[in-house]
Amino acid sequence: RVATSGEEAVSLYRCDHREISAVLLDLMMPGMDGFTLCRQWKSDDQLKHIPFIFYTATGARQNPTAGNDKEIM
């Protein structure tokens, strides 16, 4: 399944409990960014086991320490 925003990804999972092997997401999504989505998922006991793969098309680093958050590692 494909979601076009972080909010939609959370909603899709809540409505459709099929097994998810991994989440591939852009850091620069509209609305909720990739780091925020990952933190939200990793704080949920039902979701925290699902690995995340991040990518982004931008060459600029808006917040170079955002990915160092141990909550999302």
Side-chain angles (χ1 to χ4, degrees):
R1 309 248 351 212
V2 176
T4 58
S5 70
E7 293 87 353
E8 186 180 356
V10 172
S11 178
L12 278 174
Y13 180 78
R14 297 284 181 219
C15 294
D16 184 356
H17 291 284
R18 286 189 270 175
E19 186 63 32
I20 296 174
S21 300
V23 176
L24 174 65
L25 68 130
D26 191 342
L27 295 176
M28 308 282 290
M29 296 184 297
M32 182 188 308
D33 69 26
F35 289 120
T36 303
L37 173 63
C38 187
R39 281 187 198 100
Q40 183 176 339
W41 276 49
K42 295 301 181 178
S43 69
D44 185 314
D45 287 338
Q46 294 179 335
L47 304 175
K48 66 182 179 183
H49 70 282
I50 301 170
F52 275 72
I53 301 167
F54 293 101
Y55 73 94
T56 191
T58 182
R61 296 184 84 181
Q62 290 183 332
N63 184 354
T65 62
N68 295 329
D69 188 335
K70 68 181 184 179
E71 292 176 9
I72 64 172
M73 298 296 186

